[in-house]
Amino acid sequence: MSGVGRSVVDAGAVAANVHAVRERLARVAPGRVVRLVAVTKGFGADAVRAAIDAGVLDIGESYVQELEQKLPAFATDELRWHMIGRLQRNKVRRVATSVHLWQSVDRMEVASEIARRAPGGSVLIQVNVSGEPNKAGCAPDEATALVAQAQGLGLDVRGLMTVGLAGAPELARPGFRLLSRLADDLGLAERSMGMSDDLEVAVEEGSTMVRVGRGLFGARP
Ligand SMILES: *Cc1c(COP(=O)(O)O)cnc(C)c1O
């Protein structure tokens, strides 16, 4: 995180990469609208600016502290911030009024803090579909209860989010399929799944939103 604000991003390269990612999305899902979230964690505000200039207004951040550092550089109406990283209850307040979509809600204490600091806020429930022990997300069989609890707190639960199994993209497919089925069962429209390497598989399995970092900005500093 020490590199925040000091990365140097080639805006022309970002624009070309945005175009390439949009082509990848169009190839697997012609005519379908899949939202592209540009993940700028580890990069400075210049990466956010390059994404906006390339027409990507959905920006994903993993760390509250990084988001706080970038916030002052942007007007609230020029982009939509997505929190995609593991949330600590005591940090929610610091960015509560700036976040458009909380994508990484995976436990009740975080849901209740968001409901307190950003009443009626829009959230996704993060589900660990791969069973990897170090991964964030509630267990698949906890998702139904957590969705109901978040709704009970007045939050606008728009869908589910997951990070695919690491490794070859095809390995992530069963997990993505499970997430789509869970969202179907719960009547939720959004499925945030797919990153730089596995976005095709995710979109084939019904993703409505992909979160792409390295594919737009290159390796993180
Ligand atoms: C970093 C991150 C991404 C983007 O990953 P890339 O491999 O750089 O595309 C997407 N989602 C989450 C939750 C992340 O932490």
Side-chain angles (χ1 to χ4, degrees):
M1 267 192 274
S2 57
V4 170
R6 283 188 273 127
S7 69
V8 179
V9 166
D10 177 346
V14 171
N17 291 338
V18 166
H19 183 73
V21 167
R22 290 209 190 281
E23 288 206 319
R24 286 170 65 190
L25 295 171
R27 217 171 294 135
V28 268
R32 215 169 92 204
V33 177
V34 178
R35 199 172 350 172
L36 172 58
V37 178
V39 177
T40 48
K41 69 172 177 223
F43 290 96
D46 59 338
V48 179
R49 178 58 61 197
I52 294 172
D53 289 347
V56 181
L57 306 187
D58 290 283
I59 307 295
E61 283 291 335
S62 292
Y63 304 100
V64 163
Q65 186 184 336
E66 260 194 69
L67 173 55
E68 269 187 310
Q69 287 170 344
K70 288 170 191 163
L71 276 178
F74 301 93
T76 50
D77 61 352
E78 63 179 335
L79 80 175
R80 295 177 288 267
W81 294 108
H82 296 244
M83 268 306 301
I84 64 169
R86 186 167 288 198
L87 285 165
Q88 289 169 270
R89 184 193 174 102
N90 62 347
K91 292 193 178 157
V92 164
R93 172 181 51 80
R94 286 157 52 178
V95 292
T97 57
S98 304
V99 173
H100 166 77
L101 182 61
W102 304 85
Q103 294 210 10
S104 41
V105 176
D106 64 355
R107 58 195 193 281
M108 187 57 185
E109 65 162 11
V110 165
S112 64
E113 182 66 1
I114 294 170
R116 197 154 94 93
R117 304 294 182 179
S122 296
V123 304
L124 304 181
I125 300 300
Q126 182 172 1
V127 184
N128 179 352
V129 293
S130 65
E132 292 164 283
N134 295 333
K135 222 163 228 176
C138 69
D141 64 5
E142 295 169 343
T144 302
L146 191 48
V147 166
Q149 287 170 334
Q151 287 169 337
L153 292 165
L155 293 172
D156 180 13
V157 182
R158 308 198 63 88
L160 305 180
M161 181 273 237
T162 199
V163 174
L165 184 63
E170 198 56 40
L171 296 177
R173 188 182 298 277
F176 291 155
R177 190 166 292 179
L178 173 59
L179 194 88
S180 274
R181 211 184 60 219
L182 276 173
D184 282 344
D185 291 349
L186 293 165
L188 299 172
E190 297 284 359
R191 301 102 209 265
S192 174
M193 54 189 197
M195 311 190 342
S196 294
D197 298 328
D198 58 14
L199 64 87
E200 281 90 352
V201 175
V203 169
E204 282 169 3
E205 296 300 333
S207 174
T208 60
M209 199 184 297
V210 294
R211 310 175 308 269
V212 182
R214 292 167 301 116
L216 299 182
F217 306 109
R220 280 180 276 279

